[in-house]
Amino acid sequence: MLVLAGASVLAPAGLSPVSATARSVVDVPPVTPEEVAPAAALQPPVFTSPDDGERIPGVLYGIFGTGVPGATIALDGGGTRTAVVQPDGTWSVPFIPPLFPSNEYDFSATQTVGTETSEPAFLSFSLYFPPRILSPVDKHVFPLSEAPVEVAGFAAQGSIIRAVLDGVPQTAEATPNAEGLFQLRFDTAVGPGDHEVSVTEEQEGGISSPVAHTFTVEAGPASAALPDAGSDGGVPRLPDTGFEASPFGLVLVGLGGVVMAAAGWSRRVRTRRRTHVI
């Protein structure tokens, strides 16, 4: 391509100035269509909840994400559901009824603006039934004689149940039976005071969040010491009962009295004479 540059040439003295034109060549490379930058491709939408690969206890009521405001979201997985991205860039697809526990759910989503549709984004997650504690009852108060010795409840068949009592992991593990019932005995006896037991469920390599119950064990009343009853001729006498101890292990009923076995000893009722005044 040639570019002409103009210049003025002055004539010798006494002559009129003469205009002259000088030519110079500037190389300008041509622009080819391939070198024009293409428009940015529409990006896939983003899943914000649940997380990819997440294990979720219970049911799920919806899937949430972000995208281009005004875009149409197409969520595919067991059918296609649509949503519109809000001005703040968020979108949601509700589930009515909710999704119930299953091994795994797989979804994909695209967003469309005008005639352009993005590539899909992918999401996988699983839902499971969390363990449920039946005993000890939450916030229950037990007398010392009825202090819990185990935790029992329901969980998924084939899972492994572990327990923590007052912050101490218990050594035993439990597996729910065909009805889903599990029982896990505590390592040590539970004494008076406030306690917390929690259980987790391990299934297919994932572990649930702990499910906890709290309970209280009351201290029993102090036992009153029995007074020294002494003995009658070397035969032990129970205090203030009117009974004598006799070394028989039988229960006999007769006209003269009753003999009852008690820890290798028996009690015979003393007969008393009554005088009636007429």
Side-chain angles (χ1 to χ4, degrees), residues 2 28-29 65 71 102 107 118 126 139 143 155 163 174 184 190 217:
L2 297 177
V28 178
S102 175
F107 287 92
S118 72
S126 59
K139 298 180 175 61
L184 194 154
V190 177
V217 175

Side-chain angles (χ1 to χ4, degrees), residues 153-216:
F154 283 104
Q157 296 182 30
S159 62
I160 299 174
I161 304 299
R162 297 182 179 88
V164 174
L165 177 64
D166 297 331
V168 179
Q170 304 298 285
T171 57
E173 296 178 351
T175 300
N177 61 17
E179 287 74 36
L181 179 66
F182 69 84
Q183 294 174 287
L184 194 154
R185 192 171 182 86
F186 298 142
D187 291 344
T188 58
V190 177
D194 296 327
H195 302 277
E196 180 182 85
V197 59
S198 65
V199 298
T200 56
E201 171 189 10
E202 181 178 347
Q203 186 179 17
E204 298 180 355
I207 300 177
S208 70
S209 299
V211 176
H213 276 194
T214 59
F215 61 94
T216 300

Side-chain angles (χ1 to χ4, degrees), residues 75-128:
L75 181 69
D76 189 20
T80 301
R81 303 169 177 85
T82 61
V84 176
V85 181
Q86 300 302 303
D88 63 356
T90 63
W91 58 267
S92 63
V93 175
F95 292 102
I96 303 174
L99 299 180
F100 284 89
S102 175
N103 287 336
E104 189 171 278
Y105 285 95
D106 296 303
F107 287 92
S108 64
T110 60
Q111 63 178 339
T112 300
V113 177
T115 59
E116 187 178 2
T117 299
S118 72
E119 293 294 320
F122 298 97
L123 173 67
S124 296
F125 58 88
S126 59
L127 303 176
Y128 67 94

Side-chain angles (χ1 to χ4, degrees), residues 225-231 237 239:
L226 294 177
D228 184 11
S231 62
R237 184 177 67 243

